[in-house]
Amino acid sequence: MYLVAIAWAYVALMMAAAEALSPQGTLFGAFITLLLYGVLPLGLLMYILGTPGRKRRRQAQELAAQADASGHAPTGSAQGLAAERKEA
């Protein structure tokens, strides 16, 4: 995930540098290029790709809050663990 973001940022930075150093280019154009081709798409990409991690953290916090409120550890199915059986 981060490799794509780093590569995208590098390309956007090079585009902005080419805009700034071009005889017809301006620093304002370079800033707009960096913003519209780099920062905004990268921010959106990182937000979308980070969604599963945020969801896992939220569920872990909810499980921890349930464990604190009840005084018991969460059951095995809530953590993805198989329930243990006692043999008679």
Side-chain angles (χ1 to χ4, degrees), residues 49-60:
L49 293 178
T51 300
R54 286 192 307 275
K55 185 176 180 182
R56 279 192 301 270
R57 282 192 299 273
R58 188 180 69 237
Q59 288 176 345

Side-chain angles (χ1 to χ4, degrees), residues 35-65:
L35 184 68
L36 295 179
Y37 284 111
V39 175
L40 293 177
L42 270 177
L44 183 62
L45 177 75
M46 298 304 287
Y47 178 77
I48 290 170
L49 293 178
T51 300
R54 286 192 307 275
K55 185 176 180 182
R56 279 192 301 270
R57 282 192 299 273
R58 188 180 69 237
Q59 288 176 345
Q61 288 173 348
E62 289 172 356
L63 284 174

